[in-house]
Amino acid sequence: MKNITALKVILKLSLIFPTSFLVFQFPAMAAEAQSLPDGYDLDEYGSALVHRESGFAFPAEMSGFKRTNSHEKDFSGDYVQIGYDRKIGDDIIAVRIAVVHLADLTAKDHYEIMKPIAMSYFSSTSVVSEGDYPIFKKSGIPAYQGIFSGLQENKPWHFSLTTIDYGYWDARLVAAYPEKIDAKAQKAIHDLVAAFQWQRPSPPGEK
């Protein structure tokens, strides 16, 4: 049975254009410890932001993507979101990666709840594809992904929602990009997810 508290938490979280919770600014590369956003440490190399509660690391650069200067969190430490962007020609792939503690929800449950919220950012939306996301299959970690089409300012866009069930922690990756770069963008997003797949966020106290 789905945990009602968890549902309330998910439903209030913004996705591609975050407006809620606390927003911090930090440089994309190495930073002094005292300037770090609350709840993070720097890794041993001084560039990746490491979420203290889960141990999940957000590198400054990964698979051609650069970490943006925005960070979103709630007060409990059970939800954080960080942005990544990558340019392809004159276009940008915008990605938001969130790590959140949810109870009693599968990757597909997480996806189904977030799907209408993701689709609400665009007009004339439709589902291009959706189903289990095989990149984590060998590791036994459940993941689910949907790819959608829609309009923004009367221009065709594609966007995707990927959810991952790590156990105590869940993750999601939301990406948006102009439809004309769809093939290149999907490959870039696949490479980004693959680069993160080695990580295993840990419950508090088990790191």
Short mmCIF file of all heavy atoms in Angstrom, two decimals, residues 4 22 49 56 62 79 84 95 100 107 117 136 166 174 189 197 202:
data_model
loop_
_atom_site.label_atom_id
_atom_site.label_comp_id
_atom_site.label_asym_id
_atom_site.label_seq_id
_atom_site.Cartn_x
_atom_site.Cartn_y
_atom_site.Cartn_z
N ILE A 4 0.86 7.49 2.16
CA ILE A 4 0.21 8.76 1.82
C ILE A 4 1.14 9.93 2.05
O ILE A 4 1.18 10.89 1.27
CB ILE A 4 -1.09 8.93 2.64
CG1 ILE A 4 -2.06 7.80 2.32
CG2 ILE A 4 -1.72 10.29 2.33
CD1 ILE A 4 -2.44 7.69 0.87
N LEU A 22 14.30 25.82 -0.75
CA LEU A 22 15.41 26.77 -0.66
C LEU A 22 16.25 26.70 -1.92
O LEU A 22 16.56 25.63 -2.41
CB LEU A 22 16.29 26.43 0.55
CG LEU A 22 15.58 26.39 1.89
CD1 LEU A 22 16.59 26.01 2.98
CD2 LEU A 22 14.96 27.73 2.22
N LEU A 49 29.90 17.76 -5.32
CA LEU A 49 29.09 18.01 -4.13
C LEU A 49 28.51 16.67 -3.67
O LEU A 49 27.86 15.97 -4.45
CB LEU A 49 27.95 18.98 -4.46
CG LEU A 49 28.36 20.42 -4.73
CD1 LEU A 49 27.17 21.22 -5.23
CD2 LEU A 49 28.91 21.06 -3.45
N PHE A 56 25.30 10.54 -1.98
CA PHE A 56 25.22 10.66 -3.43
C PHE A 56 26.05 11.86 -3.88
O PHE A 56 25.92 12.96 -3.33
CB PHE A 56 23.77 10.83 -3.88
CG PHE A 56 23.53 10.54 -5.33
CD1 PHE A 56 23.20 9.26 -5.74
CD2 PHE A 56 23.63 11.53 -6.29
CE1 PHE A 56 22.97 8.97 -7.08
CE2 PHE A 56 23.41 11.26 -7.63
CZ PHE A 56 23.09 9.98 -8.02
N MET A 62 30.11 15.88 -15.96
CA MET A 62 29.87 14.46 -16.15
C MET A 62 29.30 14.22 -17.55
O MET A 62 28.27 14.80 -17.90
CB MET A 62 28.89 13.93 -15.09
CG MET A 62 28.59 12.46 -15.18
SD MET A 62 29.98 11.42 -14.68
CE MET A 62 29.85 11.53 -12.91
N TYR A 79 15.18 15.44 0.58
CA TYR A 79 14.99 15.76 -0.83
C TYR A 79 16.02 16.80 -1.26
O TYR A 79 16.16 17.85 -0.63
CB TYR A 79 13.58 16.31 -1.08
CG TYR A 79 13.44 17.01 -2.42
CD1 TYR A 79 13.31 16.28 -3.59
CD2 TYR A 79 13.44 18.40 -2.50
CE1 TYR A 79 13.21 16.92 -4.82
CE2 TYR A 79 13.33 19.05 -3.72
CZ TYR A 79 13.21 18.30 -4.88
OH TYR A 79 13.11 18.94 -6.08
N TYR A 84 21.86 20.08 -14.27
CA TYR A 84 22.97 19.91 -15.21
C TYR A 84 22.51 20.39 -16.58
O TYR A 84 21.34 20.17 -16.95
CB TYR A 84 23.40 18.45 -15.31
CG TYR A 84 24.24 17.96 -14.16
CD1 TYR A 84 23.65 17.48 -13.01
CD2 TYR A 84 25.63 17.96 -14.23
CE1 TYR A 84 24.41 17.04 -11.93
CE2 TYR A 84 26.41 17.52 -13.17
CZ TYR A 84 25.79 17.05 -12.03
OH TYR A 84 26.56 16.62 -10.98
N VAL A 95 18.77 19.34 -17.56
CA VAL A 95 18.52 18.15 -16.75
C VAL A 95 18.42 18.54 -15.28
O VAL A 95 19.19 19.39 -14.80
CB VAL A 95 19.67 17.12 -16.93
CG1 VAL A 95 19.55 15.98 -15.93
CG2 VAL A 95 19.67 16.58 -18.35
N VAL A 100 15.57 11.59 -3.34
CA VAL A 100 14.49 11.80 -2.38
C VAL A 100 14.21 10.51 -1.62
O VAL A 100 14.30 9.41 -2.17
CB VAL A 100 13.22 12.30 -3.11
CG1 VAL A 100 12.76 11.32 -4.17
CG2 VAL A 100 12.09 12.62 -2.15
N ALA A 107 9.67 2.16 -8.55
CA ALA A 107 10.08 3.11 -9.57
C ALA A 107 8.91 3.48 -10.48
O ALA A 107 8.74 4.65 -10.85
CB ALA A 107 11.23 2.53 -10.40
N ILE A 117 2.67 15.80 -13.58
CA ILE A 117 3.33 17.05 -13.20
C ILE A 117 4.34 17.43 -14.27
O ILE A 117 4.42 18.58 -14.70
CB ILE A 117 4.00 16.91 -11.83
CG1 ILE A 117 2.96 16.51 -10.77
CG2 ILE A 117 4.70 18.21 -11.44
CD1 ILE A 117 3.55 16.23 -9.42
N PHE A 136 19.75 -0.25 -15.82
CA PHE A 136 20.07 -0.74 -14.49
C PHE A 136 19.75 -2.23 -14.32
O PHE A 136 19.86 -2.77 -13.23
CB PHE A 136 19.29 0.04 -13.43
CG PHE A 136 19.76 1.46 -13.25
CD1 PHE A 136 19.15 2.50 -13.92
CD2 PHE A 136 20.84 1.74 -12.42
CE1 PHE A 136 19.59 3.80 -13.76
CE2 PHE A 136 21.29 3.04 -12.25
CZ PHE A 136 20.66 4.06 -12.93
N TYR A 166 16.30 2.95 -5.35
CA TYR A 166 17.50 2.43 -4.70
C TYR A 166 17.20 1.74 -3.37
O TYR A 166 18.09 1.22 -2.72
CB TYR A 166 18.49 3.56 -4.43
CG TYR A 166 19.20 4.09 -5.64
CD1 TYR A 166 18.91 5.37 -6.13
CD2 TYR A 166 20.19 3.35 -6.28
CE1 TYR A 166 19.59 5.87 -7.24
CE2 TYR A 166 20.87 3.85 -7.38
CZ TYR A 166 20.56 5.11 -7.86
OH TYR A 166 21.23 5.61 -8.94
N VAL A 174 14.90 14.39 -14.77
CA VAL A 174 13.99 15.02 -15.72
C VAL A 174 14.83 15.82 -16.70
O VAL A 174 15.73 16.57 -16.30
CB VAL A 174 13.00 15.96 -15.00
CG1 VAL A 174 12.03 16.57 -16.01
CG2 VAL A 174 12.22 15.20 -13.94
N ILE A 189 21.70 11.83 -22.66
CA ILE A 189 21.04 11.54 -21.38
C ILE A 189 21.35 10.11 -20.95
O ILE A 189 21.61 9.84 -19.77
CB ILE A 189 19.52 11.77 -21.51
CG1 ILE A 189 19.25 13.27 -21.71
CG2 ILE A 189 18.79 11.26 -20.27
CD1 ILE A 189 17.86 13.56 -22.21
N GLN A 197 25.30 5.47 -12.66
CA GLN A 197 24.72 4.21 -12.20
C GLN A 197 25.59 3.46 -11.18
O GLN A 197 25.12 2.58 -10.47
CB GLN A 197 24.40 3.29 -13.37
CG GLN A 197 25.60 2.75 -14.11
CD GLN A 197 25.19 1.73 -15.17
OE1 GLN A 197 24.27 0.95 -14.96
NE2 GLN A 197 25.87 1.73 -16.30
N SER A 202 23.17 5.62 0.33
CA SER A 202 22.98 4.81 1.54
C SER A 202 22.01 5.45 2.51
O SER A 202 21.93 6.68 2.60
CB SER A 202 24.34 4.64 2.25
OG SER A 202 25.29 4.07 1.38
#
